[in-house]
Amino acid sequence: YLVAPPSATTQLTLTYVAPLTPELAFVDVTARVAHRAGRLLVIDAEVNGPDGALLAAARATHRIVRPAAVRRGPPATPEAPA
């Protein structure tokens, strides 16, 4: 895991400050864990242009899922009666 076990996004706020245009050579995206308490995880992110100007900012709230809640593979199908 990069910062936490598997989680589900429960809220996402994105604020655009300036346009991201094709003329930009690159953008720099930085994210950090702003807060973690129990199964709650809050991550802040910023998108900056080549000159360092803020282009967008985001805050995401995640709920860490318990391992038993993480399902792998296709959903189980009930067996047909014999």
Side-chain angles (χ1 to χ4, degrees):
Y1 308 116
L2 295 177
V3 280
S7 61
T9 304
T10 59
Q11 183 175 2
L12 176 63
T13 303
L14 179 59
T15 303
Y16 295 101
V17 179
L20 280 77
T21 63
E23 291 78 26
L24 292 174
F26 67 92
V27 294
D28 182 42
V29 180
T30 305
R32 67 177 182 83
V33 176
H35 180 73
R36 182 172 180 180
R39 292 176 41 215
L40 179 70
L41 185 64
V42 179
I43 299 174
D44 288 334
E46 289 186 349
V47 179
N48 297 91
D51 61 355
L54 180 66
L55 302 175
R59 172 167 273 199
T61 303
H62 297 264
R63 177 67 117 186
I64 297 170
V65 295
R66 294 186 175 111
V70 178
R71 176 181 277 168
R72 300 215 162 108
T77 55
E79 292 185 29

